[in-house]
Amino acid sequence: MGNPTQKIKTSESTCPAALLKGEIPSRFQSFWAIGNLDILNTNLLGVFCSIRCPGSIILNTYDCMRILHDSGVAVVSGFHAPIEKDGLDILLKGT
């Protein structure tokens, strides 16, 4: 049922390279994760939006989400702002 929770130690050879960058290994000995860790070795994009933004940015964001929904890029966001929620709906229709 679902994906199991797993502990990732930064000292182990199986730790994804994305978790070994910069100061991460010296500050964190381990992480907890759920799901496919291979996603950390792909292109990642963080999306953060204000609840107050101009209409032109909203339209561009919708266009961007439509492009991303089949691009293979993993999108990370809190999906709290209305535009982020709409973007999540678009992304979930893709691959």
Side-chain angles (χ1 to χ4, degrees):
M1 174 163 87
N3 291 317
T5 302
Q6 53 190 315
K7 187 174 186 177
I8 307 164
K9 294 182 179 180
T10 54
S11 61
E12 294 178 352
S13 62
T14 56
C15 182
L19 299 179
L20 298 175
K21 293 182 179 178
E23 296 181 23
I24 293 174
S26 64
R27 297 188 68 193
F28 302 96
Q29 296 176 357
S30 61
F31 292 89
W32 288 95
I34 298 173
N36 182 355
L37 296 180
D38 291 336
I39 202 167
L40 294 174
N41 295 320
T42 65
N43 293 320
L44 303 172
L45 175 68
V47 175
F48 302 94
C49 299
S50 171
I51 59 171
R52 295 184 213 150
C53 56
S56 62
I57 291 176
I58 292 172
L59 294 175
N60 286 335
T61 302
Y62 286 135
D63 291 341
C64 180
M65 292 299 167
R66 284 187 201 98
I67 292 168
L68 287 170
H69 94 291
D70 283 323
S71 69
V73 174
V75 178
V76 180
S77 178
F79 300 110
H80 296 293
I83 184 112
E84 292 172 341
K85 290 177 185 178
D86 290 347
L88 178 60
D89 289 339
I90 294 168
L91 292 171
L92 290 174
K93 292 175 185 170
T95 57

